[in-house]
Structures are given as structure tokens and as C-alpha cells.
Amino acid sequence: MISRIIGTAMLMSLTVPPLPAFSAFSIEDLTVLDAPADTMMRAYLTEKVGRQFARRDSLLAGFTTKAQWERHADYIREKFREWTGPFPERSPLKARVAGVLQREGYRVEKLCFQSRPGFYVSASLYVPAAGSGPFPAVLYAVGHSIAGKAAAYVQPYCIAQARKGFVVMVIDAVGQGERRQEEYFVFGGSPGSVHQAVGFQAFLAGTHVFNLMVWDAIRALDYLESRPEVDRHRIGITGSSGGGMMSTYILPFENRIAAAVPACNPNTWLARVKAGLATDHEQVFFGAFSELVDPRGDPLLCLAPRPLLIDATSRDQLNPPMGVWALDSWLYRAWASYGSPEKIHTSMVDAEHAYNRDQREAAYAWFRRWLGDGGPAGFSEGELEIEPESLLWSAPDGSVFELPGSRDPHSLVLEYFQHNRARWNTGPGTPEFNHRVRDALREVTGIGRNPAAPAVEIIAAGSSDGVERTKLLFRPEPGIVLPAVLIGPVEGDWKKFTIYLNDLGKQGLAADSLEYKEFLEDGGSLLAADLRGQGETAPGLEGKFWDFLAGDPPPSQKIRDILAVLSWVKAEYPDVPVTIRAVGTSGLWAAIAAVLDGRVDGLYLAETPVDFADMLETKLPRYNEELILPGILARLDMQQVYQALCPLPVTLDSPLRADRQPAGLEFLRQRFAPVSERYASAGKPDNWAVKVE
């Protein structure tokens, strides 16, 4: 094998001789459990979320007065503003009408406006043909549809509502309609692929993709208010699925909404967790459950006592009916405390996840009753004809990104990162620097103190060929087991200790084609362990976001596991040097754990991501939920972690870029120049090495 190594100031070729023949690891050697613990993480997280919801429900059960519900609504507003982050100053909308379609009973204006400078939002405005206004209005928030405002289930609503005397504005959400970005289709055809990629980057930077999306909707309300045809005191909002989300989540920020009809979204997160459901990045807020807020439905309390219709379906595969009715019971109590129980209603038609005609007609009746000029009569949709998508375009070739000066979501998140990234003025190598790094890591991981040595159970033990093998179960906390295999020489002292970690679990040893000899020569011993959600305890459920909402991101949990294992090793073998060999993202968590623990003697990290900033600077990163430590880049990056490890020997073997491709030599030289300089100044230049195949 020919490798190149980046030291502090040198580039050299190194020929590594083949290892002597020795017994290879087998899957049987590395299997501890009789059957995979593949339900462990689901049971663990369900139980944790259940405890948090019990506390929330206990809190709500104590509310008996209007004042108590009002205070809680203010608390929800405060939390949503904290999670979403500050909005930009209002800038000129620079709205323009690209064309008008005259139709029977209404007209459609093809609109485009800038919610932020250069951030174009495409829209359609449906205006009644009869009457002089000002008319009541409805903002329609589109769900996850590639066609956006032109979707086959969106147009009928807008047309029928306009014919009933309402102005209707419908906007394309990020990644949809004229704002679609097909380069993100590598992650899947859904517009959610944009939300997920940009949402991942926003979390690392310390902001939220919802900040972009809800500001679009807020500025759409600004535009509606500017129209002389609109009665600014009679503006409602509706939408289904992702549009039902926006119709709910906008409420902590907006008092201008006079009535709301969210469809196929309001629910309880507890019901969704029990059903095994996940969601998109714009719909999750870090630590919400631990703050006793259920973001799926609690924002609706900010509307009280204004009219609210939950427009649900009985066979919604994404929103269990039991969760809808549980939410309804809390909402009814709140509205009743205001003396307005008639203004809250839940409708559930027999259908799947949709916004079908029955649901739309329920919305027409609700808005006509509370915002219109009459009762709910005349709610029938009637016959109507929708337009081809291209006929509703407001931008050339149906893409706002063709407009002059247009910006995309990634550029806005990248700009936020560049303005808000951590700035390190403290010189590395000082006690103050290392202390600051540890404090930053504790803050971003939520690990206030290192865990104690966990309870350990011996599952099996034996020896052959002079090698002793012991299969263990670590129990770092209730509900979690970490299967591990301890391997060492039968005779003689254990003079050094290697902890092996791999995103695939300890079975990765077999995939790595490593040999016992590599670890056991000269009195070495090996502990190969599965971190939670890896190997025999996979899947980790990172994509569900339950642990994220609970305030305990998966990386933090894995770092705690490493710290627990280290505590056990140092308790059992206090005088034996310990190194960690880790593969994949586990290398990041190992390096962070090594800084927090302070007793690791060296690290060998293979195919580990270069750093977190690369995830922002690469438009289409191939990592996502498994790497989210919220706001880490506002505090530090891996360069500071590696500097804090100096002068320990640290080797990065074949680091990967954000696209999961090997990093280039020059990129690595520039990226890690501060680390190389730190090791050189400590007089240990050879203790820092980056190997590139």
C-alpha cells in the first residue's frame, strides 16, 4: 500500500509492509447477542418521549383559567422565536405581476415578490370577479408537491374560494413549483429533499430552514395587506400536510390571522412516535419536548380564541387519528376557557392523507361562517377547470432562479454561517484555549459531566490460539446496551489497549480485513464496541428526529457511550495506555470524547469527515441527520478539537469530503494548517499525520 502523509511541514511517500499472516476476525467472533437488538432505540426513545409528554400533559391539565392558557401561549411564542431565530428586517417586496388570466367568476394574477433581497417567491393571486371588496382573504400554504401552487389539489381550492368572494394567495414553498431545484433530486424527487439538505446545513450553522420558509409566508401576508381588494382584518390561512404545518407553525409569529384551517398535519408527536413516524427538518425544533412543548399541535394555542378548524382524515397514514383527538381535547379546553368553544372544531372525513373535496368544502364553510358575509351555506365546490402548470408561471421558463440577482436557500444559510461562525482568538496550546474547547464541546453536546463506568455483563468467554475473547454488554443507562468484544493475549501483561469503533458497529472489523496481529502484538489488547444504534443495536433512528426533539441529538448519545466505555477501561486497566481506532463519523465522536475525557493516549481515525464547515460549503452534502450537533459551527469546528488534543498522536486516514469522496491533498493541507502549526510549535510535528491514498 502506498500512502502519502501530511505532517507539519512535509509530504512523503511511505511503503507499509504487509502484516504477518494471522487469524482474521469473523462475524461469529464479533457477535454478542442471540438476536439483534433492532428495537432497542425505538423502545428507548418512545419511553423517553412518553416521560416528557407526561410532564407536558400534567402541566396542561392544571390550566383552568383563560389567564393560564394565555400565559402558556406566550411561552409557546417565546420558544418558537428562540428555536427559529431572528428574522431579517423587512425589505421592499418588489412585487410584480407577470400576467393575468381572466376566468369565469375570478381572475388569476401571476405574481413574484422578494421575501428577502434576491430571494424570490412565486405566487398566484385569485381575485373574485363579482363585487367591489374589500374581500376577506385566505393565504394557502402548499404541502410537499413538486408542482407547488399549480398542484391538482391546490387549484380547485383557490378557484372555488375565489368564486365564493375571497381573495386567495398561494405561494410556492422552498423547493416547489417555480422554486424547485432539480439538483437536489439526487436525494429523492420530493421537494422535501431541499428542506432536508438545507435544513441539515442550517442546524449545523445554528439557524433553521423554517426561518426561511415562515418568513416567506409572513411576507405573503404583507403583500395581501397591501392589496386594496383585501380586508386586512379578515385574513385566514389554510393548507394540507406541509401546508397544514405552515398553517399551524406560523401562528406564534402572526396575530394578523383571523381564522385557520390546517389540514392533515395537526397531531401530537407522542402519537406519531408510537406510530414510528418521522418528519422533515423544517418541522422539528431542538429540545421542544424537554421544554414541554409539542410543536406538532401546540402552536394552535396561539390562535385562541379566534376560529380554528382542524381538517383531518380518518385514514391519514402520517397523522394518527388518536393524536388528532388527543390534541382536540386540549384545544377545546383552551377555547372554552375564553368562552368561545364554538370557534374550535375538528372535522374528520373518511379518507387518506390528502386535501380532498370533502375537506375543502369543510374549509369553505368554516371561512364563510367566520370571515365571510354569511353562514356556511353555499359550501359546495361546484365544477371547475384547472390550468396547466406552465400557464401559471410568473418567471421565465418557470424558475425564479432565472430572475436577475436571484438567490437560493443554500446561499442564505451559507451567508448566515459565514457571518456567525465561531471566531477563535485564544492561542492554541494555552490552558485557556483547551478549557474553552472543552466548554464549547460540553455546551454543544449537552454533556455536563462525563458518565461513570457503566455496569458490564459478561455474556461469554473463551480462548484459542493464545488469544482470549470475552463478549460483554455495557449498560451505560437504562434501556441501552452496548455489545462489545474484548480480545487480548492469554498470557502476559496487557501493555496497550485499543478501542475500536465503526459506524457499521464492531462487525466493521471483518469488513476492514484487519488482523488480530495488528492489535495484539507487543502485549496489545482490543475492545470492539457497538455504540447505540450501530451494529447489533441498529437502526439508530436518527432520521426520525425523536431524540432531536427530546433535546438529545444522536451524536451526543454516541459521545456519552464512548466516554462510558473509556471510564470502564480506565477503571479496569488504569495504567495501560489507551488509543482509539474509529471509522466513519464515529471518528468525530471519538475525537470529541478524547478531549472531554482527557485520558486517551492517541487516535487513528479512518474515512472520517474532514470537518463540519465542509458540510455548509458543499451545496449537496451526502451526510445528514447522523451528523447534526445543533449550532456546533457557532462555537467551534474540528480544527479546534484536534488542536486541543495536541501533543497526542493523531492520524487521519483518508478523510472524506462532505460528498463522501476522498479529500484532496491540497484541500487537506489548507484545512488543517492550524493543526499542523500547533503540533510544530509543541515540538511534536510527527504526532499529527493525515494519510491520503
Side-chain angles (χ1 to χ4, degrees):
M1 178 177 68
I2 304 298
S3 297
R4 287 175 291 176
I5 297 183
I6 304 173
T8 301
M10 65 179 178
L11 173 65
M12 60 179 289
S13 294
L14 176 68
T15 302
V16 180
L19 293 166
F22 209 85
S23 301
F25 296 100
S26 70
I27 296 299
E28 183 180 357
D29 289 336
L30 300 167
T31 301
V32 174
L33 303 173
D34 292 335
D38 53 4
T39 62
M40 180 187 78
M41 290 307 299
R42 179 167 180 172
Y44 169 78
L45 294 172
T46 301
E47 197 274 337
K48 174 182 281 190
V49 172
R51 291 198 311 271
Q52 293 174 323
F53 264 79
R55 293 171 54 213
R56 166 192 173 270
D57 292 354
S58 178
L59 173 71
L60 298 186
F63 295 164
T64 58
T65 67
K66 171 186 171 183
Q68 288 173 315
W69 286 106
E70 284 180 329
R71 283 195 297 270
H72 191 59
D74 286 341
Y75 174 72
I76 292 168
R77 292 184 181 97
E78 174 189 339
K79 285 300 167 185
F80 263 80
R81 289 174 179 142
E82 177 184 315
W83 295 325
T84 303
F87 295 125
E89 293 184 5
R90 278 179 163 83
S91 54
L93 290 170
K94 298 184 179 179
R96 65 180 184 85
V97 178
V100 179
L101 304 177
Q102 296 288 349
R103 296 294 183 261
E104 183 180 351
Y106 67 98
R107 73 176 186 270
V108 185
E109 297 183 12
K110 298 183 281 187
L111 296 173
C112 202
F113 66 88
Q114 296 180 41
S115 63
R116 308 168 191 243
F119 199 51
Y120 287 93
V121 181
S122 42
S124 297
L125 189 75
Y126 293 73
V127 183
S132 58
F135 303 104
V138 173
L139 175 62
Y140 189 110
V142 177
H144 288 176
S145 167
I146 288 294
K149 63 185 180 304
Y153 71 92
V154 173
Q155 289 192 56
Y157 178 92
C158 300
I159 295 169
Q161 191 79 78
R163 285 177 171 172
K164 297 179 188 304
F166 283 70
V167 173
V168 182
M169 184 177 187
V170 54
I171 65 174
D172 285 330
V174 167
Q176 298 169 240
E178 296 182 79
R179 305 174 79 193
R180 74 185 70 172
Q181 295 177 265
E182 295 188 1
E183 60 264 43
Y184 287 94
F185 286 4
V186 295
F187 304 124
S190 165
S193 60
V194 181
H195 307 166
Q196 291 160 13
V198 177
F200 161 60
Q201 295 167 323
F203 284 139
L204 293 180
T207 184
H208 205 299
V209 68
F210 180 68
N211 186 290
L212 304 181
M213 299 174 72
V214 74
W215 189 243
D216 290 345
I218 290 170
R219 299 312 311 276
L221 290 174
D222 291 347
Y223 179 80
L224 274 175
E225 280 195 322
S226 75
R227 295 290 300 234
E229 302 95 332
V230 172
D231 181 345
R232 62 192 301 268
H233 300 294
R234 292 189 292 163
I235 298 177
I237 190 168
T238 192
S240 178
S241 190
M245 177 276 298
M246 185 59 71
S247 303
T248 300
Y249 289 12
I250 194 176
L251 298 176
F253 305 96
E254 272 297 345
N255 291 321
R256 293 179 290 179
I257 294 170
V261 182
C264 286
N265 191 274
N267 211 277
T268 70
W269 255 110
L270 182 60
R272 289 173 54 80
V273 168
K274 290 180 177 178
L277 295 169
T279 196
D280 273 357
H281 295 52
E282 77 272 15
Q283 302 186 40
V284 292
F285 299 91
F286 180 65
F289 297 166
S290 63
E291 300 280 1
L292 306 187
V293 175
D294 179 1
R296 195 74 181 189
D298 285 1
L300 295 170
L301 293 167
C302 298
L303 186 68
R306 289 162 284 170
L308 169 66
L309 171 68
I310 296 179
D311 208 349
T313 59
S314 62
R315 290 180 282 119
D316 187 342
Q317 65 273 28
L318 299 180
N319 294 286
M322 62 174 288
V324 176
W325 294 121
L327 173 63
D328 172 86
S329 67
W330 293 119
L331 296 175
Y332 183 83
R333 289 183 55 173
W335 262 254
S337 76
Y338 284 85
S340 303
E342 75 282 1
K343 292 183 180 179
I344 173 71
H345 184 70
T346 295
S347 169
M348 187 174 287
V349 303
D350 184 23
E352 295 183 349
H353 186 81
Y355 204 0
N356 59 42
R357 179 166 175 168
D358 288 342
Q359 293 173 276
R360 296 195 297 266
E361 290 183 340
Y364 306 146
W366 191 257
F367 282 133
R368 183 175 172 83
R369 176 182 179 184
W370 296 109
L371 301 184
D373 298 323
F379 62 84
S380 177
E381 187 169 273
E383 298 301 318
L384 43 81
E385 185 174 340
I386 66 175
E387 312 289 347
E389 182 179 352
S390 60
L391 203 58
L392 295 172
W393 286 348
S394 63
D397 300 320
S399 174
V400 300
F401 302 110
E402 299 299 321
L403 296 171
S406 180
R407 303 190 63 185
D408 69 1
H410 173 253
S411 71
L412 293 175
V413 173
L414 182 60
E415 180 181 74
Y416 179 93
F417 159 63
Q418 291 167 341
H419 288 168
N420 295 279
R421 68 186 304 174
R423 311 292 178 185
W424 282 75
N425 299 319
T426 306
T430 65
E432 181 186 355
F433 177 88
N434 288 356
H435 182 74
R436 185 181 170 195
V437 171
R438 283 192 294 272
D439 283 351
L441 290 175
R442 292 199 184 282
E443 183 180 3
V444 78
T445 63
I447 301 173
R449 60 180 181 179
N450 296 350
V456 177
E457 177 184 354
I458 297 177
I459 301 300
S463 62
S464 62
D465 301 325
V467 177
E468 178 182 301
R469 302 174 184 84
T470 305
K471 297 183 177 182
L472 307 170
L473 273 185
F474 289 89
R475 300 185 184 275
E477 62 178 295
I480 295 295
V481 296
L482 310 178
V485 176
L486 179 60
I487 304 171
V490 172
E491 297 180 357
D493 295 332
W494 289 17
K495 298 178 181 178
K496 56 184 181 178
F497 206 105
T498 299
I499 297 173
Y500 178 85
L501 308 170
N502 190 311
D503 293 352
L504 301 174
K506 59 190 177 306
Q507 284 86 350
L509 273 170
D512 286 346
S513 300
L514 296 170
E515 305 284 340
Y516 287 154
K517 183 71 173 178
E518 186 164 346
F519 296 99
L520 306 187
E521 61 185 353
D522 300 326
S525 55
L526 169 70
L527 178 69
D530 293 338
L531 304 180
R532 68 185 71 194
Q534 297 177 350
E536 296 182 75
T537 65
L541 305 186
E542 286 88 349
K544 300 291 188 184
F545 275 111
W546 303 342
D547 30 24
F548 188 90
L549 284 155
D552 193 12
S556 293
Q557 297 179 55
K558 292 179 171 63
I559 293 165
R560 289 204 308 272
D561 289 345
I562 298 171
L563 290 169
V565 170
L566 278 168
S567 292
W568 179 83
V569 170
K570 297 307 291 187
E572 293 291 319
Y573 308 96
D575 300 321
V576 178
V578 176
T579 61
I580 300 178
R581 182 181 184 119
V583 181
T585 61
S586 296
L588 298 177
W589 320 141
I592 291 173
V595 172
L596 294 177
D597 182 85
R599 296 175 294 176
V600 174
D601 296 285
L603 292 158
Y604 189 101
L605 312 178
E607 298 180 358
T608 295
V610 171
D611 59 24
F612 291 96
D614 193 37
M615 303 296 161
L616 269 291
E617 294 162 353
T618 300
K619 186 172 186 178
L620 302 176
R622 295 307 181 99
Y623 294 88
N624 208 295
E625 299 93 348
E626 74 277 14
L627 214 61
I628 296 176
L629 275 172
I632 187 170
L633 287 170
R635 296 171 177 85
L636 80 171
D637 204 345
M638 292 307 297
Q639 287 77 6
Q640 287 77 46
V641 173
Y642 294 133
Q643 286 174 317
L645 288 170
C646 181
L648 299 181
V650 177
T651 297
L652 305 188
D653 188 348
S654 305
L656 299 183
R657 294 290 306 272
D659 60 3
R660 291 187 184 267
Q661 296 301 307
L665 185 63
E666 190 55 36
F667 176 83
L668 291 170
R669 192 191 300 277
Q670 295 176 3
R671 209 67 166 192
F672 291 125
V675 185
S676 297
E677 292 167 5
R678 166 69 192 114
Y679 273 80
S681 65
K684 296 288 186 180
D686 295 336
N687 279 10
W688 169 256
V690 182
K691 299 171 60 177
V692 181
E693 290 295 326

